Amino acid sequence: MRQGLPADPGVAALGVGLVPPQPHAPAWSQAVRGGQALPRPGPVHGPYPIRPMPHSPSRLWWAWCEQQWRSAGMPRGKDKQAFTRLVQTQVQAWSNKPQADFAADLTHLRAQLGMRGLERALVAQALGAVGAVVHQQLGWQVHEVQWLGAWWMLGGRLIEMATGEGKSLTVVLASSVAALAQMPVHVMTANDYLARRDAQQWQPVYEALGLSVGWITAGSTPEDRRHAYAQDLVYVTAREVVFDHLRDQAASANSTEPGATSGTASGTVMRGLCMAVIDEADAILIDEACTPLVLSQAVPAGDEPVNQRLALFMTRALKRGVHFEWAPDQALRLLPEGRVHLDAASQGKSGPWRIQRYREEQALLALTALHVLQRDVDYLVRDDAIHLIDGPTGRLAQGRAWSRGLHQMVCLKEGVSVTSETQTLNQTTYQTFFPRYHRLCGLSGTLWEERFELMATYGLPVVRMPLRQPRRLQDKGLQVLSTEAAQWQATVQAAQRESQAGRAVLVGVGSVAESDALSRQMKAHSLAHQLLNARHDEEQGDAERAVIALAGQAGAITVATHMAGRGTDIHLSEAVLAGGGLHVINTHLNASGRVDRQLSGRAARQGQPGSFEFILREGDHTLAVWQRWPWVWPVARACSGWWRGSPSVGLQRLCQWAQGMAGGRACHERWQMLQVQQAMRRQLKWTGRDEWL
């Protein structure tokens, strides 16, 4: 190896260096920076850095050991103080430099980062430059927890930072240093709205550092995407990155032009998977880890529309509990009586209906469309089409559709135009896609509970950041009511009480249908409020931005789905702060307590006052596990007053137990799917398509 090569092998593998690739250089030599070539990335050829598919994930018990070992080796005490003092010294040095010297020294720093990698001294110097620019452009001071968070993220870690502690600025610090080291950086945000907002908000800081920034939304054209990925940093959702990568793989595999390489004649838009900084990492790496991301294309319709109509017709006569069984915590399955009914209804039918497996699969799909998938909960009907609702975010899943004919059956059920059948071209999941990045890091306000699974699946240790200032969040307890009407009545009364006290109120609901039901109750009580759900997307203007802007005013009541849970910063007026801050009412117990923590985290941000309470009902989806024992809730209410003097402690324990069981089932399902994917990859290895899973 020649002198002056990158000291950090990870940086060398990313292809960071001083000399940009020359247009006339051979395809693979363009990926050689600093004298070290990238490993050949499987089916994707040319200058497209991508990490080879990692080995099977480690066992959970080994992940526990490794998490403990890495946590014990984290910088602590004097080491952290020494690093922050070094960064603050660099901030002063960069702030006192004339503009010409600043630009020249920044160019030299970029060269050093490209050659030597992310060494401690160079990282401190780069963070100092970013901090000086942030203060110059925005007038903000960077705090110690943000310096440390950026430093640890650059070391390939996930950090848990409480809401209101400045996660957005921490992302900017880490992303800027990586981009200064000439790594193409993908900053993953929770939704399209935040991708555009954050890119525009931080653009002056990046430009002052000599960096270019772009953003991508669901409506971006291929040319827009290619231009955005060509920038030093790009703000984008994880879903858009995955599908762009799948399309790049398909384009590279289908390219027949002589000498075509990835990123040139093959029509790809990305520059590879170099570094990803994931905001709200738990939502992507845990909640949506197993969501199938399928790249498909339309195919001509055959006999399937007729068969789908016939399946719906036959299954409408099936009765729950007699012919089929389904519960929120159980899978849909046919009972023996249902199979007999299908056999009788299929008599005289030709073609595939003679096959028992086919007709039972079609019946299960039809039952799913009729009974499991609910309008305004799982999908919206708008513009003569079915639009899926993304469960974790509560937003419309643009361009997403159910497979195997399920989407067409839902269209028939709702009486809208039936979409074309699709054929799968490529597919993946987040838990198999993100390990392909050469560098991966992220942060969220809720990661600690899932630290062992994150270590086992992605090899990412989790670090818990200390609070910069004490939290002033008040817990006003929990109620579990017997009926939906009682729940809405109690919610309206609580919102009215807090609103009249001059506070701002945020009410979280589980679905669009529930938000509409609560809105009708508030209108019946002449209670002014705003509504924020999946109908408020960017195609209807800046409706979401307008609702959030008014949500922090005195007396304001906002009813919102999960759209208001992550990445939403409600700015409170002085009158609201004087009255006690934002009050959050949660009416839906999520399967994961992390999602509830995200919603309650909208209050009491940055040392402000705030409070939250739960108003639930026994029929809540997560609490359905207790429906088989009707005596549980009366006994819990009777005994809760005796337990440590708090009237809601017993109810809280039952809710936490239900969430624990739901979380355990979800973790087991994710682990089982990962094992299945690993087995499929081993079986397909000899075909050369194992890298596509």
Side-chain angles (χ1 to χ4, degrees):
M1 184 178 292
R2 301 197 304 267
Q3 295 291 330
L5 297 184
D8 188 341
V11 177
L14 288 179
V16 297
L18 304 179
V19 184
Q22 301 300 319
H24 60 272
W28 186 246
S29 66
Q30 293 181 14
V32 181
R33 308 283 186 84
Q36 183 168 344
L38 296 169
R40 192 174 182 85
V44 182
H45 307 284
Y48 201 102
I50 182 172
R51 185 183 177 191
M53 187 64 68
H55 299 294
S56 300
S58 60
R59 296 295 180 184
L60 286 175
W61 66 268
W62 177 252
W64 181 87
C65 297
E66 191 170 2
Q67 170 70 29
Q68 300 300 320
W69 175 71
R70 294 205 184 191
S71 298
M74 285 297 299
R76 300 179 187 277
K78 294 182 179 180
D79 194 17
K80 294 194 301 184
Q81 296 173 4
F83 181 78
T84 54
R85 285 197 300 268
L86 178 60
V87 175
Q88 290 167 356
T89 302
Q90 291 293 335
V91 172
Q92 294 295 328
W94 285 99
S95 300
N96 296 330
K97 291 181 180 180
Q99 186 61 35
D101 294 343
F102 186 98
D105 291 346
L106 190 63
T107 302
H108 178 71
L109 175 61
R110 297 189 66 176
Q112 292 297 312
L113 284 169
M115 294 184 64
R116 295 162 53 189
L118 298 178
E119 295 181 354
R120 173 185 170 124
L122 293 178
V123 169
Q125 191 175 355
L127 287 175
V130 180
V133 170
V134 168
H135 181 69
Q136 177 187 6
Q137 296 291 327
L138 305 176
W140 294 2
Q141 294 289 346
V142 183
H143 301 285
E144 179 182 3
V145 293
Q146 295 167 328
W147 296 128
L148 294 175
W151 180 32
W152 291 342
M153 286 170 61
L154 288 168
R157 301 179 180 92
L158 298 174
I159 64 170
E160 179 181 282
M161 180 177 287
T163 54
E165 293 290 306
K167 292 196 296 292
S168 297
L169 181 54
T170 306
V171 168
V172 171
L173 294 173
S175 303
S176 299
V177 174
L180 288 173
Q182 304 176 38
M183 304 182 203
V185 181
H186 298 163
V187 183
M188 311 287 185
T189 62
N191 52 68
D192 288 345
Y193 163 72
L194 292 177
R196 185 179 68 175
R197 185 202 71 179
D198 291 351
Q200 293 175 342
Q201 176 184 358
W202 298 106
Q203 188 171 5
V205 174
Y206 291 129
E207 290 180 347
L209 292 167
L211 302 173
S212 57
V213 61
W215 66 88
I216 294 173
T217 63
S220 299
T221 65
E223 286 302 319
D224 294 336
R225 295 170 186 271
R226 186 175 290 106
H227 179 266
Y229 284 121
Q231 310 306 310
D232 296 313
L233 305 99
V234 57
Y235 279 76
V236 61
T237 62
R239 179 182 177 277
E240 295 301 323
V241 170
V242 170
F243 280 105
D244 285 337
H245 176 64
L246 292 178
R247 283 188 284 265
D248 281 358
Q249 284 187 314
S252 298
N254 296 332
S255 179
T256 57
E257 299 180 25
T261 59
S262 206
T264 55
S266 60
T268 58
V269 298
M270 299 176 66
R271 291 192 290 164
L273 305 181
C274 299
M275 179 170 183
V277 180
I278 309 176
D279 194 8
E280 307 297 350
D282 59 322
I284 297 173
L285 301 181
I286 296 295
D287 296 334
E288 300 184 62
C290 294
T291 301
L293 303 165
V294 181
L295 182 66
S296 59
Q297 66 180 5
V299 296
D303 296 333
E304 290 305 315
V306 177
N307 293 332
Q308 290 159 3
R309 292 179 184 273
L310 184 57
L312 285 173
F313 175 77
M314 289 193 301
T315 53
R316 286 185 190 274
L318 300 183
K319 297 180 180 179
R320 185 173 177 176
V322 178
H323 300 100
F324 69 94
E325 188 177 55
W326 176 75
D329 59 338
Q330 296 178 354
L332 178 69
R333 67 186 185 93
L334 285 171
L335 297 175
E337 289 293 330
R339 293 189 176 90
V340 172
H341 180 89
L342 285 177
D343 293 343
S346 301
Q347 292 295 327
K349 302 292 189 300
S350 59
W353 288 101
R354 296 179 179 179
I355 305 173
Q356 180 182 5
R357 181 176 178 180
Y358 175 83
R359 57 176 176 262
E360 290 184 2
E361 287 181 351
Q362 293 299 308
L364 288 174
L365 288 173
L367 289 171
T368 301
L370 292 173
H371 301 284
V372 178
L373 299 177
Q374 303 176 38
R375 182 171 180 169
D376 293 338
V377 177
D378 301 294
Y379 61 90
L380 285 180
V381 179
R382 193 172 69 187
D383 300 331
D384 193 36
I386 300 295
H387 301 272
L388 275 63
I389 297 176
D390 184 48
T393 64
R395 299 175 182 273
L396 290 183
Q398 299 288 348
R400 194 180 301 178
W402 292 296
S403 60
R404 299 174 57 198
L406 180 58
H407 197 92
Q408 288 71 28
M409 289 187 182
V410 175
C411 292
L412 292 171
K413 165 191 169 182
E414 297 293 346
V416 301
S417 300
V418 180
T419 59
S420 302
E421 284 280 354
T422 58
Q423 177 185 9
T424 299
L425 299 178
N426 200 353
Q427 62 180 344
T428 189
T429 60
Y430 287 139
Q431 62 182 359
T432 56
F433 170 75
F434 278 105
R436 308 300 304 276
Y437 273 93
H438 283 282
R439 282 187 177 268
L440 183 63
C441 62
L443 76 174
S444 179
T446 50
L447 282 170
W448 192 247
E449 298 92 332
E450 314 293 346
R451 59 191 182 279
F452 304 138
E453 184 179 352
L454 290 167
M455 174 62 77
T457 305
Y458 304 97
L460 296 174
V462 177
V463 181
R464 209 170 195 174
M465 301 297 298
L467 290 176
R468 180 168 53 90
Q469 47 192 342
R471 194 85 183 274
R472 299 171 60 188
L473 183 63
Q474 180 184 2
D475 184 355
K476 291 198 171 184
L478 176 147
Q479 303 178 56
V480 180
L481 304 173
S482 57
T483 64
E484 182 178 0
Q487 180 191 25
W488 295 148
Q489 181 68 21
T491 303
V492 170
Q493 293 175 357
Q496 188 173 21
R497 179 187 67 246
E498 300 295 340
S499 175
Q500 290 176 351
R503 304 181 65 182
V505 181
L506 174 64
V507 184
V509 295
S511 66
V512 176
E514 290 185 353
S515 68
D516 292 338
L518 181 56
S519 178
R520 289 191 295 268
Q521 289 292 325
M522 289 190 172
K523 289 178 181 178
H525 288 77
S526 301
L527 196 59
H529 63 283
Q530 297 185 103
L531 191 60
L532 180 62
N533 55 36
R535 295 191 179 96
H536 297 82
D537 57 14
E538 292 191 78
E539 294 179 357
Q540 294 178 325
D542 293 329
E544 178 180 353
R545 186 179 302 178
V547 170
I548 295 300
L550 297 175
Q553 302 301 315
I557 300 176
T558 306
V559 179
T561 58
H562 293 164
M563 290 176 66
R566 291 184 182 271
T568 303
D569 192 2
I570 299 177
H571 297 282
L572 305 180
S573 64
E574 293 297 330
V576 172
L577 293 175
L582 179 69
H583 180 67
V584 177
I585 303 174
N586 193 344
T587 65
H588 172 67
L589 189 70
N590 292 279
S592 173
R594 293 178 292 100
V595 183
D596 295 332
R597 285 174 56 195
Q598 288 285 348
L599 181 61
S600 63
R602 300 310 100 196
R605 298 168 65 90
Q606 301 178 356
Q608 298 172 349
S611 58
F612 75 96
E613 65 178 311
F614 283 83
I615 302 178
L616 309 175
R617 66 176 181 273
E618 296 177 8
D620 192 282
H621 179 82
T622 305
L623 299 177
V625 66
W626 302 117
Q627 289 181 354
R628 64 191 70 176
W629 299 294
W631 51 268
V632 167
W633 294 115
V635 171
R637 291 192 185 94
C639 298
S640 59
W642 304 340
W643 195 345
R644 301 181 183 177
S646 175
S648 63
V649 169
L651 300 177
Q652 288 176 349
R653 294 296 182 268
L654 287 176
C655 293
Q656 291 171 359
W657 195 356
Q659 283 183 324
M661 288 188 288
R665 288 195 301 269
C667 179
H668 178 73
E669 292 172 359
R670 289 191 294 268
W671 190 257
Q672 290 299 317
M673 177 172 285
L674 190 58
Q675 299 304 315
V676 170
Q677 290 172 331
Q678 293 290 340
M680 292 178 61
R681 187 174 297 114
R682 288 192 295 268
Q683 294 173 4
L684 293 175
K685 195 173 185 63
W686 66 275
T687 67
R689 293 181 59 87
D690 59 308
E691 297 277 334
W692 286 57
L693 292 177

